[in-house]
Amino acid sequence: MQRVSCELGDQIASYAESVKILTTSLPIPMVGEEIERQSYPSVRTSSAVMKAIIGVVLSLFFGGVLCADDVVFESGPKKVQLLELFTSEGCSSCPPAEASLGRLVNDPRLWHEFVPVAFHVDYWDRLGWKDPFASVEWTKRQHLYAANWNAESVYTPAFVLNGREWRDARVPVINDGGPGALKATVRSDNSVLVNFEPAKGEARDFDLYLACLGFGISINVRAGENNGRSLRHDFVVLSLDHQKLASSPQEFHLPSSAPEVASRSNRTALAAWITRPGDITPLQAIGGWLPPSSGAGH
């Protein structure tokens, strides 16, 4: 779930208008007093009203409402599922899987019931085409999953749902209670304030993952199994940052990727999830669209 904070300017303008009304030259009837004049050029706002107005404005300013560009992502108490796709531009069977993942862009359940991400692995690069989105780190991530399942090998396309081997891009509806509410506030300076409230109120450390995702990216492949094809990518992981969430709230920064990679995306999003320390299995996830002005991934 995503929302953009209200603009402080509009609220201050509203309070300024209130002050203007109180100091206007029009008649202002006072309880228990007889109105003897039709204009009051010297009428002043009472000290009590002025203090109230100043107090509200200061609370808005110092309370963090002065951040019209801030974007907030929240999971709520219900579990938000993380759907991962391990893929590669060098794999001839991957484009259909990526197309099915891309269709989730228009799914009404996107972000508030599930968060999709696409990790491009690098082991297909040996066939002659270097995938610009591939990383050895994403390959290591897939191998970690395979080790959890006691699998002897990895393959693409491979879906993983909530840390379990999955068959496709369809995400089932679940009604299970979540582990707690995860929230991230992305500020205009690309800092991210993350807060997690465990459902059982237990205080413990967690691992946090912040991923910047790219959308609408088209690549003309000139070698390998997809030679001559134009491939489109959505939910592609441009960068991933892994940090310890030792306290809540805690401040982080959006991870950045290589400019030549990030510039190909016509839209970006943030995906974030937490795990238990040292465990790769996601507990809770959040995600949503980043504003065009965001420097995420750039």
Side-chain angles (χ1 to χ4, degrees), residues 155-178:
Y155 60 92
T156 56
F159 286 96
V160 179
L161 180 64
N162 303 324
R164 304 189 307 272
E165 195 171 15
W166 196 244
R167 58 187 177 275
D168 52 38
R170 289 175 294 181
V171 183
V173 176
I174 60 173
N175 296 313
D176 299 337

Side-chain angles (χ1 to χ4, degrees), residues 52-256:
I53 293 174
I54 293 175
V56 171
V57 172
L58 290 177
S59 67
L60 289 173
F61 185 87
F62 292 107
V65 183
L66 186 60
C67 42
D69 295 328
D70 286 3
V71 182
V72 180
F73 308 99
E74 296 181 271
S75 67
K78 183 179 178 181
K79 181 176 178 63
V80 178
Q81 305 179 79
L82 182 69
L83 177 67
E84 302 172 62
L85 171 63
F86 291 91
T87 182
S88 171
E89 289 185 348
C91 162
S92 61
S93 57
C94 286
E98 290 207 43
S100 64
L101 190 77
R103 285 191 285 272
L104 296 179
V105 169
N106 299 315
D107 194 304
R109 299 166 56 210
L110 177 64
W111 305 133
H112 63 274
E113 289 192 27
F114 59 81
V115 174
V117 296
F119 288 103
H120 284 228
V121 296
D122 69 341
Y123 49 81
W124 285 103
D125 291 1
R126 68 182 186 273
L127 297 183
W129 175 251
K130 183 173 175 56
D131 187 328
F133 306 103
S135 169
V136 65
E137 295 302 320
W138 313 161
T139 301
K140 290 179 180 178
R141 181 177 181 84
Q142 188 180 19
H143 277 286
L144 282 175
Y145 274 131
N148 288 348
W149 309 325
N150 296 317
E152 297 181 354
S153 61
V154 293
Y155 60 92
T156 56
F159 286 96
V160 179
L161 180 64
N162 303 324
R164 304 189 307 272
E165 195 171 15
W166 196 244
R167 58 187 177 275
D168 52 38
R170 289 175 294 181
V171 183
V173 176
I174 60 173
N175 296 313
D176 299 337
L182 181 62
K183 177 180 178 180
T185 302
V186 181
R187 296 165 172 166
S188 58
D189 62 355
N190 287 336
S191 63
V192 185
L193 191 65
V194 178
N195 185 70
F196 179 62
E197 297 180 1
K200 298 180 180 179
E202 54 181 333
R204 57 183 300 177
D205 294 343
F206 296 92
D207 283 2
L208 171 71
Y209 293 82
L210 293 171
C212 288
L213 311 179
F215 295 80
I217 303 173
S218 295
I219 301 292
N220 294 318
V221 179
R222 298 184 298 276
E225 291 188 351
N226 290 312
N227 184 25
R229 301 182 64 177
S230 178
L231 303 181
R232 177 189 169 94
H233 304 302
D234 293 298
F235 299 105
V236 60
V237 176
L238 302 177
S239 55
L240 179 68
D241 193 17
H242 177 198
Q243 300 282 350
K244 296 293 183 183
L245 183 62
S247 61
S248 288
Q250 188 171 338
E251 185 175 272
F252 303 90
H253 284 84
L254 286 180
S256 60

